[in-house]
């Protein structure tokens, strides 16, 4: 067992997979299933946005990971909660009359996923060498996007070829197996000897000191902007019919292939952030996503264009997500890392929520072409 103070950045890939799997099920598998059960694209987009919105609020429970149990214990709690809520979501009847109930379960399942990424972000801050944090950010987002490939693509294929319960069971096993990697990482425990109220006071002062730093304020404003929010990726399966794309192609492209492509983009983005700096990496990758959406809008709406566009978008989103994590890690330092990362990354999820809703609205207002042009 590796008990060195610093761990390999690639470990972060496996620790993030459960979060990505849960997210992929909500953003890929469910939109396809819902739209084929009579839900409109705008309603489906709103339900997905509701699930994504859980990431906005995770800074509220971020201090729990910093001030109470060890990071390893919190990761296991998050993984088990993710598995339970995923299975429950597979049992919910997909009926338009139950929209509120479905939305509530989607939100709860994604809240559970936040308890996976909170300790992972702190593990990066404490157990990855400073010179390799960009690479760790890449692996973090690779786990996120690779998990989306499993939860989305594999989940959709299993749900349409077998049933949604089978999909939930297989995905839950994948979550459990990937989380075992945390045993290879030296645990991080909160400092002892101080009361919880004193800890909260120290945490509050640390957060206040952080937000007074100009570069942190700049990062917080930057991530609130819709630069490469990647919102279209939450609706690819719901609008695939506009490109006359079959369900197996949708499952393969939005799932496994997007996961692999996004993973490659994330790893490349991490290295680019280390090599050229976080600002070039973030703004450049956001530009890539906008250009892909623009090109997809003007090309013919045929299966080949759908496949190429979705994969190119996934690569750009991988670049962007790695740069996003690197920007935040650049700003927060080590102390109370889970709370700080949760706070800033929560802001970064605001544009994902409003852009996913916006994309659904623009699609139903006109069509997919108008949606892509509006996003770009």
């Amino acid at each position: 067992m590796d008990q060195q103070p610093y761990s390999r950045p690639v470990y972060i890939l496996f620790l993030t997979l459960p979060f990505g799997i849960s997210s992929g099920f909500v953003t890929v598998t469910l939109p396809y299933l819902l739209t084929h059960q009579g839900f409109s694209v705008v309603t489906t987009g709103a339900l997905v946005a509701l699930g994504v919105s859980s990431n906005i609020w995770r800074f509220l429970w971020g201090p729990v990971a910093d001030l109470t149990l060890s990071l390893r214990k919190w990761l296991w709690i998050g993984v088990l909660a993710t598995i339970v809520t995923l299975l429950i979501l597979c049992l919910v009847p997909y009926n338009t009359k139950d929209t509120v109930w479905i939305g509530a379960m989607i939100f709860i399942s994604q809240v559970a996923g936040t308890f996976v990424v909170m300790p992972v972000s702190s593990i990066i801050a404490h157990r990855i060498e400073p010179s390799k944090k960009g690479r760790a950010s890449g692996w973090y987002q690779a786990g996120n996007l690779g998990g989306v490939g499993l939860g989305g693509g594999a989940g959709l294929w299993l749900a349409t070829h077998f049933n949604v319960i089978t999909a939930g069971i297989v995905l839950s096993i994948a979550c459990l197996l990937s989380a075992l990697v945390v045993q290879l990482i030296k645990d991080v425990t909160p400092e002892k000897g101080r009361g919880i109220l004193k800890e909260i006071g120290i945490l509050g002062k640390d957060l206040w000191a952080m937000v007074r730093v100009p570069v942190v304020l700049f990062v917080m404003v930057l991530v609130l902007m819709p630069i490469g929010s990647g919102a279209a990726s939450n609706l690819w399966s719901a609008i695939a019919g506009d490109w006359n794309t079959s369900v197996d192609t949708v499952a393969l492209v939005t799932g496994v292939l997007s996961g692999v492509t996004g993973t490659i983009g994330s790893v490349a983005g991490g290295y680019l952030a280390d090599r050229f700096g976080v600002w070039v990496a973030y703004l450049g990758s956001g530009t890539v996503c906008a250009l892909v959406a623009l090109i997809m809008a003007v090309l013919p709406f045929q299966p080949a264009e759908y496949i190429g566009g979705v994969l190119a978008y996934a690569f750009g989103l991988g670049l962007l997500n790695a740069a996003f994590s690197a920007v935040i890690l650049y700003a927060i330092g080590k102390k109370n890392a889970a709370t700080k990362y949760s706070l800033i990354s929560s802001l970064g999820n605001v544009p994902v929520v409003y852009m996913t809703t916006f994309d659904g609205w623009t699609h139903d207002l006109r069509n997919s072409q108008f949606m892509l042009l509006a996003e770009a």
Side-chain angles (χ1 to χ4, degrees), residues 57-328:
W57 309 108
R58 71 186 186 201
F59 73 92
L60 295 175
W61 45 88
V64 175
D66 282 321
L67 303 179
T68 55
L69 304 176
S70 71
L71 296 183
R72 184 182 293 171
K73 290 178 180 178
W74 272 118
L75 184 116
W76 278 116
I77 290 172
V79 169
L80 293 177
T82 296
I83 290 173
V84 170
T85 53
L86 175 61
L87 292 174
I88 292 174
L89 192 56
C90 290
L91 296 170
V92 175
Y94 302 140
N95 192 309
T96 54
K97 296 180 180 179
D98 299 318
T99 300
V100 174
W101 169 243
I102 293 172
M105 289 312 305
I106 288 174
F107 181 78
I108 293 171
S109 74
Q110 297 310 284
V111 169
T114 65
F115 281 90
V116 174
V117 291
M118 285 192 305
V120 172
S121 62
S122 198
I123 287 172
I124 295 175
H126 288 277
R127 292 290 177 248
I128 302 298
E129 293 179 63
S131 63
K132 297 180 180 179
K133 288 188 186 295
R135 270 164 277 184
S137 299
W139 287 119
Y140 176 92
Q141 296 300 343
N144 182 12
L145 295 176
V148 169
L150 286 173
L156 179 57
W157 188 87
L158 289 167
T160 54
H161 286 74
F162 296 94
N163 54 62
V164 72
I165 301 299
T166 299
I169 293 173
V170 173
L171 296 178
S172 295
I173 293 173
C175 289
L176 188 62
L177 292 177
S178 64
L180 291 173
V181 174
V182 76
Q183 301 302 124
L184 299 175
I185 300 173
K186 186 176 180 181
D187 204 2
V188 180
T189 57
E191 295 182 25
K192 297 181 179 180
R194 291 200 295 258
I196 187 70
L197 293 179
K198 188 174 182 179
E199 289 280 7
I200 292 175
I202 293 173
L203 173 61
K205 292 179 181 178
D206 197 27
L207 287 175
W208 176 244
M210 180 188 75
V211 299
R212 294 174 64 188
V213 177
V215 69
V216 176
L217 289 175
F218 175 72
V219 169
M220 293 172 75
V221 172
L222 186 69
V223 300
L224 282 168
M225 302 173 71
I227 302 173
S229 62
S233 64
N234 294 330
L235 296 174
W236 286 140
S237 64
I239 63 176
D242 292 344
W243 282 264
N244 301 309
T245 309
S246 68
V247 62
D248 285 345
T249 300
V250 174
L252 179 63
V253 174
T254 61
V256 176
L257 293 183
S258 283
V260 171
T261 306
T263 297
I264 295 171
S266 294
V267 175
Y271 279 94
L272 289 174
D274 284 340
R275 179 68 177 81
F276 297 103
V278 295
W279 312 118
V280 172
Y282 187 73
L283 297 175
S285 55
T287 302
V288 169
C289 288
L291 288 175
V292 171
L294 181 62
I295 292 170
M296 283 188 73
V298 300
L299 289 177
F301 276 53
Q302 298 296 329
E305 282 73 15
Y306 177 85
I307 295 170
V310 169
L311 294 181
Y313 196 92
F315 182 79
L317 189 56
L319 292 174
L320 174 78
N321 287 344
F324 174 80
S325 294
V327 165
I328 297 176

